Amino acid sequence: MSVGLEHYLAVSGILFCLGVLGVILRRNLLNLYMSLEVMLNAANLALVAFARYNGDLNGQVLVFFVITVAAAEVAVGLALIVALYRKCRTTWVDDLATMKH
Amino acid sequence: METLPWLLLVLPLLAVGGITWCGWRRQRPAVVARLAVGSALGTLLVAWWAWRQGIDARGEIVWLQAGGFTVSVGWLLDGLSRPMTLVVAGVAALVQVYSLGYMRGDAWWGRYFAGLCLFTLAMLGIVLAPNLLQAYFCWELVGLSSYLLIGHWHERVTAADAAKKAFLTNRVGDLGLLAGVLLVWQSLGTLDLARIREILAANPEALGSTATVAGVLIFLGAVGKSAQFPLHVWLPDAMEGPTPVSALIHAATMVAAGVYLLCRWFVLLAAPGSAALEIVAWTGLFTALMAAVVACRQDDLKRVLAWSTISQLGYMMLAVGLAGDGRGPVAAMYHLSTHAAFKALLFLGAGAVIHALHHQEQNIWKLGALARRMPVTFACFGLATLALCGVPPLSGAYSKDAILALAHEEHRTGMYLLALVGSALTAFYMVRVATVTFLGPAKSQAVDCAPEAPGVMRWPMLLLAVPTVLGGLWGIDEAYGRVFGVAGEGGGSVWARFVGPWVHAPGVALAALAATLLGGGAAWLWYRKAVSDPLDESLGALGGWCREAFRLDALYEGVLVRAHDLAGSACAAADRWVLAGFLIRGLHGLVASAGRLVRRVQTGNVQIHALFFVAGVVLWLWLMLAWE
Amino acid sequence: MQDVLFYIFAALTLVCGFLVVANPFSRNPVTSAMFLVLTILSMAGLFVLLGAFFLAAVQVLVYAGAVIVLFLFVIMLLDLQVEERQRYRLRNLLWGGAASLALLAALLEAVRGRLTLPAETGPPVEGDPGALGEALFTAHLLPFEVMSILLLVAMIGVILLSRKEAGR
């Protein structure tokens, strides 16, 4: 069986679920953040695969934009983590329950 | 021509609006007085014109329409409503003028006159009503305005209580009337007087089996307004209102409304196979006797008059009840008209006495010897007393004679004899109150410097004295007889009317005169020189019992208050256990526990939130897939 | 040949991805970051297989070059102590596993049969810099410019956030 779109999509889906697992499993904010990056990349992979099999370059353009936004997001997110660490001296999600009412 | 009778309803309405607008409290009293008296005189003028012209027409506007059901308001002038309009407008106008003197300096001047105008409007609305629905809501308006006027001096607890009592007691009767109106509408499909007459003329059995019930329900309304047993308890208490208001209530507006209603809608009562008239007659007779007995033992000037009104209304009810067999309630309307004049005069006279004593004293055993100091008042009061006693040739003699003759002709011997007894009692208590108040020895110092009534109060009394004296000679009964299709035999000349009763039924006239002389003579002998009531000792406990009106008030209070308390505690229990306990606390508990449950989700932990988010996404995805 | 390469790259991606999120031997963020580099590199291989040459280069440059370096800088900046609670919590493992498995089942179900996937049509598009640049600077010029503003805003935001507050 030759490799087709569904193979790429399966890889993308598995990778995405791995990211989800990481988000729920890891308790260090930095690790959690990396898991998020994994999920983003999984989505990118699906997009590129669709672009290839639809014969449409716009999918790749979108991935380009996603990468750019992801770079900005990582920068801002890490800055937030640094600021948070300065304030609370911790990067553990267990300690950060300010969202609790 | 067609639009002028509208003024009968519009003028009082404009006066009510204008007075309310420009002087509720004691602002601009002159404007208020002009508005009130002007509208009253204007109404009287229109009523007089309508009567002279013999207007026999109707005017209506559609008030609201719902499907096939139309409610219209308007006026219907015919042989019955024309003279009644004149009576109402006349008494109302005189009372308004009289009030200018009686209520001078009152703090709630504007409200008083607005109430009087509203009262007049409501009563004219009943009199002119072309359909039962207008009669009903004007009926309620009468109840409202009586509440406002009886409770005029609402700072006095007794007045406020009396107003409430009048209103609530009337509500009982009004409920009956409402049910009667609905029943008539259900069985006849219309509330229009002309239509109802047509239907019942074509088919007297149209009311069918509901005839008695409908008649009794409508009568129940009249029982409330006209203060018949057992709903008469409000009327003596209503004496807490200003005396002109009492005059208005007793003569022209409120209590007359009940009798008039029965006469106006007589066709509904007189349906064949209906026992309503029988009930009306016996209720009336019983009320007449009971109230007469109570009136003999009253010491308050106004209360005597109040009980006398109840008694006279009983006579009118008796006359209505005996008016079957195609006779029509001629005698009832006759007595209603004459009674309006002399009862208003009695109240205005009493008001003059009270006014002369600076609203301080109403107990007749503190008065006396007022005849010398207030000769005009005494003359008027005396004439009205004699008229009420039934001394010929004053008006009361003729109308009362008509009722007695009616009972006699109907071969109701029992009723006839009891009515004669009532007649004697009437003479007794009226002579008693007049003698003690005006003739006997002065029983307090206040009466020594009592002034005669001022002109604004004197003239209405003198004007009312005219119909009091001459009312029997004007052929009022013949006019009503033509309305109900029973032509009078009087023949028209004044002399024929003067001797009418003696020619027509000499036995009855003689018996009535004898009863009057008997009662009046006894009272004259007992009370002419009396300083305190000589009957107090001789009657003992029985006298006290009569004085307190057979303790009916206490009985009602006991029963009603007990029932009220019971209902109250039942409601309280329902409130406590069902509403507060189950519904409110139960719902509160439900919401609170639901909230507590949901709050567990809100941990503040990002990962648990993420978990829920993912779970939502999965759920949504599966739903989408299942949808395909 | 291409199929073999796909399997190799896919396996690499998944294994490294797994080691990023749930390394059973090390909970150290640095290890995760290293494996994230590997994941991204192998994914760049997949991109090449899909004809997205430029994106593969950008992936390596931006992610492996910039993002991961940023991560490492922050890790070092914070100088986290190794703590007892770096161990995975069983509860998290169970719930996370269940959630991701359910999601995976839903996604695979969709991919496997429910969706009508496009068949390969015509010659594969080549995502070389020229073609992509042409698309970017013609059809997508406005988003491209907006993106530059976004980057500027992110830069200013980061400077603001990471600045030590005056007075502290």
Side-chain angles (χ1 to χ4, degrees), chain B residues 447-484:
Chain B
V447 296
D448 287 338
C449 46
E452 177 61 285
V456 74
M457 291 164 69
R458 205 161 57 229
W459 278 106
M461 289 199 279
L462 288 172
L463 281 174
L464 271 175
V466 176
T468 300
V469 176
L470 298 177
L473 307 178
W474 287 345
I476 300 174
D477 52 339
E478 290 161 32
Y480 285 131
R482 280 194 292 280
V483 174
F484 291 104

Side-chain angles (χ1 to χ4, degrees), chain B residues 378-599:
Chain B
F378 169 63
C380 293
F381 196 93
L383 276 175
T385 301
L386 293 178
L388 180 51
C389 295
V391 174
L394 302 180
S395 58
Y398 292 94
S399 55
K400 192 184 284 181
D401 205 65
I403 297 174
L404 293 173
L406 183 63
H408 185 63
E409 280 168 28
E410 289 284 310
H411 303 293
R412 299 297 193 87
T413 316
M415 283 187 175
Y416 170 61
L417 291 177
L418 286 173
L420 273 181
V421 173
S423 182
L425 285 171
T426 305
F428 181 82
Y429 65 71
M430 278 322 293
V431 171
R432 167 179 180 261
V433 72
T435 315
V436 172
T437 307
F438 286 98
L439 297 176
K443 289 169 272 290
S444 71
Q445 295 178 345
V447 296
D448 287 338
C449 46
E452 177 61 285
V456 74
M457 291 164 69
R458 205 161 57 229
W459 278 106
M461 289 199 279
L462 288 172
L463 281 174
L464 271 175
V466 176
T468 300
V469 176
L470 298 177
L473 307 178
W474 287 345
I476 300 174
D477 52 339
E478 290 161 32
Y480 285 131
R482 280 194 292 280
V483 174
F484 291 104
V486 281
E489 300 159 29
S493 79
V494 173
W495 176 252
R497 288 170 188 155
F498 184 70
V499 296
W502 300 90
V503 177
H504 183 62
V508 176
L510 202 63
L513 190 58
T516 301
L517 288 178
L518 190 70
W524 176 261
L525 287 177
W526 266 323
Y527 288 107
R528 201 166 65 83
K529 297 265 166 53
V531 182
S532 66
D533 199 329
L535 286 182
D536 272 350
E537 288 162 20
S538 47
L539 281 177
L542 190 64
W545 208 46
C546 293
R547 189 188 301 276
E548 288 167 35
F550 307 113
R551 310 243 162 90
L552 266 178
D553 273 324
L555 177 72
Y556 286 178
E557 208 154 277
V559 172
L560 289 182
V561 168
R562 194 73 49 79
H564 185 262
D565 281 357
L566 222 79
S569 39
C571 286
D575 182 65
R576 192 170 305 129
W577 297 111
V578 178
L579 277 177
F582 179 68
L583 283 178
I584 294 173
R585 229 172 279 159
L587 281 178
H588 160 252
L590 194 70
V591 172
S593 41
R596 226 169 285 136
L597 204 69
V598 174
R599 202 167 65 177

